[in-house]
């Protein structure tokens, strides 16, 4: 059950943080598993592809910005979609703790439909201001995101920033990220005052729970180390699309039931 403070923060701000939610070793296991998958099928085997499928289910998205490689294929990766389909990431996604949080917010019948392991490698740009529901054209709104810190998230290494209370607004118009080297699909909100933004400084194992209408962005990584995170997106069972998605979007939205009312 959510605490009274968490419920109030959700209604007021559109997010809350649970400090020390998970053993940091769980996140490190997730990272090792996705890194192993990348090394078994590195970007060199898929030259020129914006994203490629590895091991039948993982969609691997290289960093679009020119990066300096330091010796391993994961140094050039932006994110991996679909880790919730197997391994430690799946165990976490379907665990009682995560299901309890999401059920308290969305109701008893919930599905997971997307997950991303985020590699914010040194030198990588952040993602501009956006609302996740812009990418989720579903008939049932909102969705709930769980953002698990694998490494420390700081101002220097590209932490998230959020705009408290922005979840009470509709989904705004988004325009393509115009930066040369921006990752595929990045869109941004340009019609809103973001001066009230708050940085999300996180320690390994901290969990950010956030509303899909909440405006948020990530900063550039100006440090010498990776900022890693695992992100899950949940929706209500029976959710339907309001418009056709691209083949890539259909691939990364992999709906699976998490909990049903007894």
């Amino acid at each position: 059950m959510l605490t009274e403070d968490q419920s109030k923060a959700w209604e007021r701000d559109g997010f809350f943080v649970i400090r020390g939610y998970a053993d940091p070793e769980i996140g490190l296991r997730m990272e090792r598993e996705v890194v192993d998958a990348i090394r078994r099928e590195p970007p060199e085997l898929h030259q020129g592809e914006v994203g490629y499928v590895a091991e039948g289910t993982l969609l691997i998205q290289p960093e679009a910005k020119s990066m300096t490689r330091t010796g391993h294929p994961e140094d050039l990766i932006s994110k991996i979609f679909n880790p919730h389909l197997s391994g430690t990431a799946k165990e976490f996604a379907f665990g009682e703790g995560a299901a309890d949080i999401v059920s308290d917010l969305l109701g008893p019948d919930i599905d997971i439909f997307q997950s991303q392991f985020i590699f914010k490698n040194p030198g990588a740009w952040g993602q501009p201001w956006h609302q996740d529901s812009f990418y989720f054209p579903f008939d049932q709104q909102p969705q709930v995101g769980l953002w698990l810190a694998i490494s420390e998230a700081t101002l220097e290494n590209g932490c998230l920033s959020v705009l408290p209370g922005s979840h009470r607004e509709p989904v705004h118009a988004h325009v393509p990220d115009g930066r040369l080297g921006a990752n595929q699909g990045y869109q941004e909100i340009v019609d809103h005052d973001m001066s009230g933004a708050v940085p999300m400084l996180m320690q390994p194992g901290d969990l950010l729970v956030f509303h899909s209408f909440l405006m948020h962005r990530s900063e550039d990584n100006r440090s010498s180390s990776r900022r890693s995170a695992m992100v899950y997106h949940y929706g209500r069972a029976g959710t339907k699309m309001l418009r056709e998605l691209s083949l890539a979007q259909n691939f990364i939205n992999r709906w699976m039931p998490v909990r049903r009312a007894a």
Side-chain angles (χ1 to χ4, degrees):
M1 293 289 293
L2 299 184
T3 67
E4 182 178 356
D5 286 345
Q6 289 167 348
S7 296
K8 288 181 178 178
W10 180 261
E11 294 299 326
R12 180 187 66 242
D13 301 326
F15 71 94
F16 57 87
V17 177
I18 306 177
R19 302 293 179 185
Y21 175 82
D23 183 339
E25 176 58 29
I26 293 174
L28 293 177
R29 284 207 307 269
M30 295 179 189
E31 186 167 39
R32 287 195 294 268
E33 289 169 9
V34 295
V35 165
D36 286 346
I38 293 168
R39 293 184 180 183
R40 286 192 293 269
E41 194 162 350
E44 287 89 339
L45 300 179
H46 301 268
Q47 289 291 338
E49 295 184 40
V50 174
Y52 64 91
V53 177
E55 303 189 351
T57 58
L58 298 174
L59 180 64
I60 299 180
Q61 182 176 345
E63 188 71 43
K65 182 186 176 188
S66 178
M67 303 288 287
T68 300
R69 181 168 173 173
T70 58
H72 300 294
E74 63 270 18
D75 298 333
L76 303 178
I77 298 302
S78 170
K79 60 184 67 172
I80 293 183
F81 292 93
N82 299 335
H84 71 280
L85 299 179
S86 64
T88 305
K90 181 178 181 179
E91 293 173 8
F92 185 96
F94 289 82
E96 288 297 310
D100 284 345
I101 293 169
V102 177
S103 292
D104 282 350
L105 297 171
L106 293 182
D109 299 323
I110 56 170
D111 293 347
I112 185 170
F113 64 92
Q114 190 185 118
S115 62
Q116 305 172 34
F117 190 96
I118 308 294
F119 290 85
K120 180 63 74 67
N121 283 303
W125 281 337
Q127 184 169 0
W129 284 106
H130 65 283
Q131 295 161 292
D132 285 345
S133 279
F134 172 79
Y135 297 97
F136 306 150
F138 305 149
D139 65 336
Q140 298 194 64
Q141 299 286 348
Q143 294 79 46
V144 170
L146 301 184
W147 195 101
L148 177 68
I150 308 300
S151 62
E152 185 180 11
T154 68
L155 291 173
E156 186 180 15
N157 72 10
C159 69
L160 293 183
S161 291
V162 302
L163 188 65
S166 57
H167 68 298
R168 294 192 295 271
E169 300 193 24
V171 176
H172 284 237
H174 289 55
V175 300
D177 184 344
R179 296 173 298 176
L180 183 63
N183 283 323
Q184 182 192 33
Y186 277 8
Q187 303 272 330
E188 63 177 320
I189 298 169
V190 295
D191 66 346
H192 200 282
D193 177 11
M194 305 298 185
S195 59
V198 176
M200 293 286 98
L201 305 180
M202 312 275 280
Q203 293 294 319
D206 289 351
L207 186 71
L208 170 67
V209 182
F210 65 102
H211 192 290
S212 60
F213 283 33
L214 181 72
M215 297 181 189
H216 60 287
R217 62 160 293 176
S218 63
E219 307 293 337
D220 301 344
N221 186 350
R222 303 183 301 275
S223 76
S224 60
S225 59
R226 178 187 302 146
R227 189 224 73 188
S228 303
M230 181 70 211
V231 188
Y232 299 96
H233 296 287
Y234 297 81
R236 293 183 178 89
T239 295
K240 295 180 173 57
M241 300 288 185
L242 293 177
R243 59 175 168 81
E244 287 290 322
L245 297 178
S246 68
L247 289 176
Q249 287 173 312
N250 279 318
F251 183 84
I252 64 176
N253 288 339
R254 305 294 289 272
W255 290 82
M256 298 178 70
V258 173
R259 177 173 286 179
R260 295 292 184 268

